[in-house]
Amino acid sequence: MRPMHTRLSIKMAPLLSLFSVFFLFGPVLAQDMPYEDFLAQIQACPQQCRCPPNFPSAVYCDNRALKHIPNIPPHTQYLYLQNNLIEVLSEDALRNATELRWLNINRNKITNDGVEEGALKEMSHLAHLYMDDNLLTSVPSGLPSSLEQLRLSRNRISKIPPGVFSSLERLNLLDLQGNKLMDDGVTGVSLKGLKSLVQINLAKNQLNNMPLGLPPSTTQLYLDGNNIERIPSEYFKSLPKMAFVRLNRNKLGDGGISRNVFNISSILDLQLSHNQLTEVPTIPKGLEHLHLDHNKIKSVNGSDICPVSLGAAVDSSAPQLRYLRLDGNDIKPPIPSDVILCFRLLTSIVI
């Protein structure tokens, strides 16, 4: 027969364990949620998921081969459902999760029909929605107005329904790379409402032309891996904050780039690698990084490409170019001295 003190120790173990958790994490919990809410959150944790006591507002249901979303506790702010077999974004399962700020449901099998009406609309705190690598054919409707980042890369999206972004005035990042968007799918009508957009990623789609209707707030534009042959001469005039432009792996030739198309003061980083250029385009004075590798350029002439006269390229008015990449062309080193004379701030040239 076990001694009395041993039996008492065994019975007290679970209580001591819970006390230890609260003792260790109590100060943190007090800042994040009341103790009663903490207990309710941990007790309501779905059996298929993990709810760490030191991060009670997060629920981890990733990599569990789930086919359905379990009922999510009401105090969840961060929900991880990536790498499962989920087909339906269920309104019932998310009904109580009105405090969600971050939802990651990447790499599942969600279709547009699987996004139930009202599943997301009432989530007034949701700022980050990640739905990469699913089976969507269009941007889903019913998105909450609180969204700041929307990632929908590597789906099968071929259209952006008119008005789908009309209430998303806070959205600053839109990732649509690796879809099936064509020119008629990206227009001023389809992008209407994105008043705060900073970054848009349309790489690896089926665009033949530069997308129209981008908001004036756009700062970063990613168009790698499309079929673009021409940039309209006035294209960037309506985009006064544009700083980063990526057009790698398109079909741009000299005739598709007019002389002053990039001549706006805001552009800092310009990438035109893996195109069909035979000449260096005109470089804006404020440009800091230029990628022209893997084109068909045979020579570089400082007097032709310098945005100011060589005699005026003193330190106070020198062009700002610091990085120039020219490898993968037909250029024979060394770089002509007039290029160095013009771009005095260059710290790296790859040839």
Side-chain angles (χ1 to χ4, degrees):
M1 187 173 183
R2 292 178 178 173
M4 180 65 71
H5 72 275
T6 303
R7 280 181 286 169
L8 286 173
S9 297
I10 292 173
K11 290 181 180 181
M12 290 291 290
L15 293 175
L16 290 172
S17 177
L18 182 59
F19 177 78
S20 298
V21 168
F22 183 66
F23 179 78
L24 288 172
F25 303 115
V28 176
L29 298 175
Q31 297 173 15
D32 293 339
M33 66 174 63
Y35 180 58
E36 295 79 7
D37 293 345
F38 162 71
L39 284 181
Q41 180 77 358
I42 296 300
Q43 290 171 358
C45 184
Q47 183 178 357
Q48 310 95 315
C49 307
R50 180 172 61 90
C51 304
N54 61 329
F55 193 13
S57 59
V59 176
Y60 294 87
C61 309
D62 52 308
N63 297 288
R64 304 298 172 100
L66 298 178
K67 293 185 178 181
H68 306 282
I69 300 175
N71 290 329
I72 304 303
H75 302 292
T76 306
Q77 295 183 15
Y78 304 89
L79 177 57
Y80 300 91
L81 290 161
Q82 66 269 29
N83 296 313
N84 281 296
L85 304 170
I86 297 167
E87 297 181 3
V88 176
L89 195 57
S90 166
E91 182 177 1
D92 283 341
L94 297 171
R95 187 179 302 278
N96 294 324
T98 56
E99 295 183 18
L100 267 186
R101 298 178 182 274
W102 188 301
L103 173 56
N104 187 333
I105 195 161
N106 292 343
R107 292 182 289 282
N108 277 279
K109 297 186 176 182
I110 297 174
T111 63
N112 282 84
D113 290 338
V115 181
E116 292 187 354
E117 185 178 357
L120 298 169
K121 197 169 186 179
E122 300 305 318
M123 294 183 181
S124 59
H125 301 289
L126 189 65
H128 298 256
L129 177 57
Y130 296 171
M131 296 184 71
D132 299 334
D133 297 287
N134 277 280
L135 304 175
L136 299 171
T137 56
S138 68
V139 175
S141 58
L143 298 171
S145 59
S146 54
L147 273 188
E148 296 175 10
Q149 294 193 8
L150 176 60
R151 298 180 183 268
L152 299 169
S153 63
R154 295 178 299 279
N155 277 273
R156 302 173 181 178
I157 296 172
S158 60
K159 65 177 181 177
I160 303 174
V164 73
F165 297 131
S166 60
S167 64
L168 302 189
E169 295 185 0
R170 301 182 189 178
L171 196 74
N172 58 65
L173 184 150
L174 176 59
D175 188 350
L176 287 163
Q177 68 167 311
N179 280 286
K180 297 184 177 182
L181 287 166
M182 302 178 74
D183 295 330
D184 59 358
V186 186
T187 66
V189 174
S190 63
L191 298 177
K192 187 176 182 180
L194 298 177
K195 297 181 179 180
S196 301
L197 192 68
V198 173
Q199 181 186 123
I200 183 168
N201 192 336
L202 294 166
K204 298 180 181 179
N205 276 278
Q206 299 173 17
L207 301 176
N208 293 317
N209 297 290
M210 299 291 288
L212 300 176
L214 296 181
S217 58
T218 308
T219 303
Q220 301 175 34
L221 176 60
Y222 298 86
L223 291 167
D224 306 300
N226 281 285
N227 301 307
I228 297 170
E229 298 181 2
R230 178 177 171 273
I231 305 173
S233 59
E234 302 291 316
Y235 184 80
F236 292 106
K237 297 296 183 184
S238 61
L239 299 168
K241 296 184 178 181
M242 186 62 67
F244 300 90
V245 181
R246 289 184 54 161
L247 279 156
N248 302 321
R249 298 183 184 278
N250 277 279
K251 297 180 179 179
L252 289 166
D254 300 324
I257 300 179
S258 61
R259 178 169 178 81
N260 293 314
V261 67
F262 299 120
N263 192 24
I264 62 171
S265 59
S266 60
I267 295 183
L268 301 175
D269 188 293
L270 177 59
Q271 299 192 21
L272 299 168
S273 305
H274 293 272
N275 277 281
Q276 300 171 12
L277 300 172
T278 63
E279 299 177 355
V280 177
T282 302
I283 300 172
K285 182 180 174 181
L287 190 69
E288 296 183 2
H289 296 85
L290 178 60
H291 296 245
L292 291 169
D293 55 286
H294 297 91
N295 276 275
K296 299 177 180 179
I297 300 170
K298 295 183 178 180
S299 63
V300 183
N301 187 315
S303 59
D304 290 339
I305 66 173
C306 190
V308 299
S309 65
L310 291 177
V314 295
D315 291 342
S316 59
S317 61
Q320 299 299 300
L321 195 67
R322 288 164 165 77
Y323 178 89
L324 175 60
R325 185 169 176 183
L326 290 166
D327 55 306
N329 285 284
D330 296 325
I331 301 171
K332 300 288 190 297
I335 291 291
S337 58
D338 57 0
V339 173
I340 307 301
L341 183 63
C342 173
F343 302 105
R344 295 169 179 265
L345 301 180
L346 267 175
T347 57
S348 180
I349 303 177
V350 183
I351 188 171

